[in-house]
Amino acid sequence: MKAHGSICLAICLLLAGEAAAADTVVLWHSYRAEERQALEQTVTAFNTGHPGVQVKTVFVPYDAYLDKLTAAIPRGHGPDIFIVAHDRIGGWADSGHIAPLDDYLPRGLTGRFFKKTIDPLRYRGKLYGLPTAFKSVVLYYNKALVPRAPADTREMIALARAAAARGSAEQPLYGLVWEHSDLYFHAAWLYGFGGRLFDERGRLELDNPENVASLRFVHHLVGELHLAPQDVSSIKVTSLFNAGRAAMVINGPWFRGEIDQEKISYGVALLPEISRSGRRARPFVGSEAFLLSARAARPRRAFTVMEWLTRDAQARVRLQVGLQPVANQALYDRGLQQRDPVISVFRQQLKYAVPMRNSPEMQMVWVPMNHALVNAVTGRATPAQALAEAQLRAGSQIESFRQGRQLKQRGRGMDDFLAAMLWVGAAVALLLGLLVVVFYRRFRQLLRQAREQKSAYAYVAPALLAIGLLVLVPFVVGLGLSFFRHYQGEYYYVGLKNFTDILASREYPLDDPFSFYYKLFITVAWTAANVVIHVAIGLGLALLLRNPLLRLRRLYRVLLIIPWAIPNYITAIIWRGMFDADEGVINHLLGTVGFSWWNSPWSAFLANLVANCWLGFPFMMVVSLGALQSIPRELYEAAEVDGASRFEMFRRITLPLLKPALFPAIILGTIWTFNMFNIIYLVSRGAPNGATDILVIEAFRWAFERGDRYGYAAAYSTLIFLILLGYTLLTNRVSRATEGAFD
C-alpha cells in the first residue's frame, strides 16, 4: 500500500508540476536599462493580479536575439511571446514561426494604437502582433552650439557650418553627425527626396532619380562640406555629442539615455524640411510589438498576456519609466509637451515617418544599399553608379531567394535533408570502412596496441570522444548541408548546385569582390603576407633576445608577448580606432587627417595586415626563441674558428636546427591566418564593399547577411576545408622531402 501511495503522490506532484508549467507564459525580450525596468514592473503587476497565470521574462542580448528566436522557435525551445521590431514578420510568417492574432482579437482593439504602428504588423492580410512602441529618428541639437532647431536643410547647413567654424585643427567640431553609411538613417533623406526602395508592385527599384538625388545630397554634406566625419559609428556619435564636438546629431529614442545630462544642454526637434524637394525628411519607423510564437503551449492565454501588457495603464509605465514612444494613442494628450517634450517630438515625427517593409525581400536590401552609401559619400563612385551596383546585387540576392520559394512549392524539404544526411553519414562510414580494409595490417596493429596499453588509451579516449562530437559530427552536418538550399526555415535538396555555382562563378564575374576566386586571391595574399612578416619579425626579435649581452632581456620578452596575450577581438577594436579617418592616432601621426583607410582595397588591406602582424609575431618569436636556446653554442664557436661569417652560420647552423620547430609553427600559423575572422571583420569590416573579406568571412556573410543562404555558406566552408587539407598534405610531403636538405 505504501508503494501504491507513493506512486499516486508522485503522479499527483507530476501533474501539478505540468499544470503549473502550462500556466507559465514565457516572454523573451532584449530590453536594457529603463526599458527593461518598465517591462519588469508591468510583468510584476500582471503576476500579482493574475495568480493563475505567471509571466516569466527572459532577457536575451540583442546581438544574438533574432538568431536565437529563429533557431529556438521551430524546435519548441523558444518563448510563448516575444518583443521585436516588425521588419522580420514576413519571413517568420512564411516559415510558420509566428501565429496570426485575428482569431483572438476583440472588436475595436486595434483602435487603441496609432495606424502607423498597427499596419506594419499585418502581412498577407493577417495581423501578427500588438504594438508596444514605435522608434524612428529625430534631430538632437546642442543648445550651446546651435541656438535653435533648423526649419529646413538650407538653415540646417548654415547652422552646422557656423558651429563647425568654432572648432580647431586639434579638436575639430562637426556641424551634423549621423551614421550616414547606414540605410536606416539615410531613409530620412531618401524618402524626403521622394525616393523609394520598391515600387507599388513590390519590384525592386533602388536606382531611381530621387534616390540618386538623396545620395548626392549626403555626399554634399559629408564629402564636400565636411560637416560630418567620414568614419561614423553609434559609439562615435555619442562620444562626439557628449564631448561638445557635435552641434547636431540624428538619432533615435535610445540616444536619450546615452547623453551626459550634466554636461550637455540639448533640444530635440523634427527632422527639417528638404529645401530642394519641399518635403520634410521622412525617416523609417519601426513598430516594436508583442508577437505570438506558433509553438506557444496555450496561445489564447499567451494572447491574453499580450493584450493586458499593451493596455493604456501599462503603456503609461513604459512611457514614464522606460521613456518609450508608446503606440497607444490615448497617452498623447496636450499636456505631454510639458511633461516630456522629447517623447512629444517623436509623436510629431511619426506623422512623417515611413514604416519599414516587413517582407523577406527587404532583408536583402540593407547591405547593398549601405555599400552604395559608402561609395557615394567617399566618392568611389557617382551616386548613380553606386545605386546601379546596389540594384544588381540586391536583385541577384532576391532572385536567389525567390528560387528557394519555387523549391518550396515543389514540396522538397526536410525529408530530403534528413535522407541526404543519412547518405552522407553512410558515405563517411563507408570511407572509414575502406580505410580499415586498405590499412588492415596497420589497423590490427593498433588494436593489438590498444589491448596491450589499455590504460594509455583510456586516458586518450575522452579527447577522441570530444573530437568526434565537436569536430567530426559538425563537419558531417555541414557537409550534408552544402547539398541543400535554405528557404524560410526549410531545406531543399539541390545536389551539387551550390558547389557548381561557386566554382563556375555563375552569379558574379571573376574579378567581382563577391566571386569565390577573388576571395581566394585575397585570402592567399593575406595569408602569405602575414606569415612571411610574422616569421621575419618573430625570428629577428628572437635572435636579438638571444644575445647574452642584451640588458633587460626578460622585460623585453614580457612586453613583446603582450600583443599575443591580449584577446584578438580587443586588439582589432583598438586598431580600428587607431585607423579612424578623423580621430585616429595613425592619421594624426602621419599628418593625413581625413584620409579614410577604408576607401581603397589596398589601404584597407594594409590596415588589416598591420593589425594582424602586431597580433601574430609573438607566436613566431616564442617558438623561435625556444628553438634557438636549444642550439649548442659550441657549434657557433667552432664555425667562428673556421672563419664562417654570421650569414653562413645562420644558413648552415641556425636555419637547419630551427626547422623542426619553425616548420610546424609556419603550418599552424598559415592555417590560423587563413581563417583569421576577427581581425578583418572588426578592423576593415570588409571595406570597401567586401573587397578585403577573406573566404571564411564570405561564408559567414552568405549565411547571416545575404538571405540566410546556409547551404551556399556550407559549400564555401567545405571548399575552405578542402583547400586547407590539400595545403597540409602538400606541406607534409615537402617537409619529408626536405628533411635532409640542410644537412
Side-chain angles (χ1 to χ4, degrees):
M1 291 297 293
K2 274 188 176 182
H4 288 296
S6 300
I7 293 173
C8 290
L9 178 61
I11 292 174
C12 290
L13 290 174
L14 181 61
L15 292 175
E18 289 179 353
D23 290 338
T24 299
V25 175
V26 179
L27 165 62
W28 281 18
H29 68 93
S30 60
Y31 283 159
R32 295 180 180 273
E34 292 88 355
E35 289 184 319
R36 183 172 183 175
Q37 180 184 347
L39 177 64
E40 297 287 355
Q41 185 174 328
T42 57
V43 168
T44 300
F46 179 89
N47 290 339
T48 302
H50 302 78
V53 182
Q54 295 295 292
V55 179
K56 177 184 176 182
T57 60
V58 178
F59 168 76
V60 180
Y62 180 75
D63 292 343
Y65 189 55
L66 297 177
D67 290 336
K68 284 195 173 183
L69 285 169
T70 303
I73 290 176
R75 292 158 183 80
H77 304 309
D80 297 302
I81 57 177
F82 56 96
I83 303 174
V84 74
H86 76 271
D87 56 310
R88 289 292 187 105
I89 282 179
W92 282 338
D94 285 344
S95 59
H97 288 9
I98 54 177
L101 307 180
D102 302 80
D103 293 340
Y104 313 119
L105 286 176
R107 181 174 299 178
L109 175 63
T110 57
R112 178 187 299 170
F113 311 105
F114 290 112
K115 190 175 187 297
K116 280 191 178 180
T117 65
I118 197 73
D119 285 351
L121 304 176
R122 300 185 189 278
Y123 182 72
R124 301 188 188 277
K126 295 182 179 181
L127 182 68
Y128 283 91
L130 295 182
T132 61
F134 59 89
K135 292 184 177 179
S136 62
V137 297
V138 295
L139 186 73
Y140 292 80
Y141 61 95
N142 187 332
K143 292 182 178 179
L145 300 173
V146 177
R148 64 187 181 279
D152 56 30
T153 54
R154 188 177 291 110
E155 185 179 6
M156 179 188 75
I157 292 173
L159 291 171
R161 297 184 73 175
R166 298 168 63 175
S168 62
E170 294 76 19
Q171 228 182 14
L173 195 153
Y174 301 101
L176 177 65
V177 181
W178 80 104
E179 294 181 61
H180 47 69
S181 297
D182 190 329
L183 175 60
Y184 179 80
F185 292 90
H186 178 73
W189 310 125
L190 185 143
Y191 289 109
F193 274 91
R196 57 203 171 275
L197 301 176
F198 296 86
D199 64 15
E200 295 178 354
R201 297 183 179 180
R203 293 176 300 190
L204 187 70
E205 194 176 354
L206 302 182
D207 52 353
N208 60 76
E210 293 79 9
N211 290 3
V212 172
S214 72
L215 264 68
R216 191 177 295 118
F217 175 72
V218 174
H219 174 69
H220 176 65
L221 296 180
V222 181
E224 297 174 358
L225 299 180
H226 306 292
L227 297 180
Q230 287 195 47
D231 298 336
V232 186
S233 65
S234 59
I235 296 175
K236 191 170 185 178
V237 172
T238 302
S239 63
L240 288 174
F241 194 73
N242 284 334
R245 296 179 54 202
M248 294 176 282
V249 302
I250 299 174
N251 223 319
W254 55 86
F255 183 66
R256 183 181 185 181
E258 299 171 358
I259 298 174
D260 189 338
Q261 307 283 346
E262 296 181 359
K263 291 175 56 178
I264 305 296
S265 174
Y266 70 96
V268 181
L270 293 175
L271 293 176
E273 180 182 287
I274 298 174
S275 303
R276 191 175 303 174
S277 69
R279 302 184 183 92
R280 186 170 291 276
R282 303 180 64 201
F284 274 139
V285 62
S287 179
E288 222 164 50
F290 286 104
L291 271 59
L292 176 64
S293 168
R295 296 296 186 93
R298 294 193 178 183
R300 189 170 294 276
R301 181 155 291 180
F303 176 80
T304 301
V305 174
M306 295 168 58
E307 188 277 328
W308 193 91
L309 290 175
T310 56
R311 291 178 182 177
D312 292 348
Q314 286 62 251
R316 191 178 303 278
V317 175
R318 295 198 305 275
L319 176 70
Q320 296 174 350
V321 178
L323 304 179
Q324 289 184 326
V326 296
N328 300 55
Q329 299 188 67
L331 300 186
Y332 292 86
D333 53 28
R334 294 182 180 179
L336 182 64
Q337 175 65 37
Q338 287 71 37
R339 296 194 307 272
D340 195 333
V342 176
I343 294 293
S344 179
V345 170
F346 279 99
R347 164 66 186 96
Q348 297 174 48
Q349 188 70 69
L350 180 63
K351 299 177 183 178
Y352 305 100
V354 178
M356 289 181 287
R357 290 178 65 92
N358 62 14
S359 63
E361 288 82 358
M362 182 65 191
Q363 303 302 318
M364 293 116 195
V365 172
W366 294 101
V367 173
M369 277 298 293
N370 290 348
H371 286 172
L373 286 166
V374 171
N375 290 339
V377 169
T378 59
R380 294 186 69 245
T382 65
Q385 291 170 340
L387 287 173
E389 181 180 354
Q391 175 76 19
L392 288 174
R393 295 208 184 281
S396 174
Q397 293 177 35
I398 290 173
E399 178 61 27
S400 177
F401 172 79
R402 289 173 176 169
Q403 288 177 6
R405 181 178 295 169
Q406 296 173 2
L407 289 173
K408 183 175 183 179
Q409 292 171 353
R410 297 172 192 167
R412 303 172 66 186
M414 189 56 67
D415 292 339
D416 282 340
F417 177 71
L418 295 175
M421 292 304 300
L422 291 174
W423 277 108
V424 171
V428 172
L430 179 61
L431 178 62
L432 292 176
L434 289 174
L435 291 175
V436 170
V437 172
V438 173
F439 299 100
Y440 178 69
R441 292 183 179 178
R442 181 61 178 165
F443 183 70
R444 287 187 62 185
Q445 184 180 357
L446 289 174
L447 287 178
R448 190 181 308 113
Q449 291 177 355
R451 285 193 296 268
E452 294 172 353
Q453 303 174 6
K454 294 180 181 179
S455 59
Y457 278 91
Y459 283 114
V460 177
L464 293 176
L465 180 62
I467 291 174
L469 292 176
L470 300 177
V471 177
L472 184 59
V473 173
F475 172 76
V476 172
V477 172
L479 181 60
L481 188 63
S482 65
F483 298 107
F484 287 78
R485 175 165 291 179
H486 175 268
Y487 175 77
Q488 298 296 341
E490 297 289 340
Y491 293 91
Y492 305 95
Y493 181 72
V494 293
L496 295 174
K497 181 171 174 39
N498 289 324
F499 292 97
T500 56
D501 285 351
I502 293 171
L503 296 176
S505 197
R506 289 178 179 171
E507 297 187 21
Y508 303 98
L510 293 178
D511 59 347
D512 190 283
F514 282 20
S515 165
F516 172 79
Y517 295 101
Y518 179 93
K519 297 300 182 192
L520 181 60
F521 169 76
I522 292 295
T523 305
V524 172
W526 159 258
T527 304
N530 273 282
V531 172
V532 168
I533 296 174
H534 290 175
V535 173
I537 296 177
L539 182 56
L541 290 174
L543 291 170
L544 290 175
L545 292 174
R546 184 173 178 261
N547 187 350
L549 301 178
L550 181 66
R551 302 177 64 182
L552 302 176
R553 284 191 300 167
R554 293 183 179 179
L555 176 62
Y556 293 146
R557 289 178 185 176
V558 172
L559 293 177
L560 289 171
I561 290 175
I562 287 178
W564 191 33
I566 298 174
N568 57 21
Y569 66 89
I570 294 178
T571 300
I573 292 171
I574 293 172
W575 279 99
R576 172 74 188 192
M578 292 172 65
F579 279 111
D580 186 90
D582 305 286
E583 307 292 322
V585 65
I586 292 179
N587 276 349
H588 281 276
L589 290 175
L590 296 177
T592 56
V593 175
F595 169 74
S596 178
W597 292 82
W598 324 122
N599 288 349
S600 164
W602 299 113
S603 60
F605 183 90
L606 178 61
N608 289 331
L609 185 64
V610 170
N612 199 53
C613 286
W614 166 261
L615 178 71
F617 79 83
F619 172 71
M620 293 298 178
M621 182 192 74
V622 170
V623 172
S624 301
L625 188 59
L628 286 171
Q629 290 176 338
S630 67
I631 300 176
R633 291 191 174 276
E634 292 81 2
L635 295 177
Y636 294 100
E637 293 172 358
E640 190 174 359
V641 170
D642 291 340
S645 65
R646 288 181 177 272
F647 176 75
E648 288 176 328
M649 285 189 285
F650 177 77
R651 187 170 69 89
R652 298 287 185 179
I653 299 174
T654 305
L655 275 183
L657 296 179
L658 275 179
K659 179 189 170 186
L662 198 57
F663 202 81
I666 292 174
I667 295 175
L668 186 60
T670 300
I671 295 174
W672 281 349
T673 307
F674 198 91
N675 287 327
M676 177 52 70
F677 184 94
N678 285 350
I679 292 297
I680 296 176
Y681 190 76
L682 295 175
V683 177
S684 73
R685 300 172 187 172
N689 299 346
T692 53
D693 280 342
I694 58 176
L695 287 171
V696 66
I697 297 179
E698 188 71 358
F700 170 84
R701 296 196 190 281
W702 282 116
F704 301 108
E705 295 181 1
R706 299 173 187 160
D708 298 337
R709 296 179 66 177
Y710 299 125
Y712 200 82
Y716 248 91
S717 300
T718 302
L719 291 172
I720 293 171
F721 167 77
L722 293 175
I723 291 170
L724 291 176
L725 178 63
Y727 165 78
T728 304
L729 295 175
L730 178 62
T731 51
N732 285 339
R733 176 170 294 185
V734 171
S735 178
R736 288 194 299 269
T738 58
E739 282 180 354
F742 295 101
D743 294 341

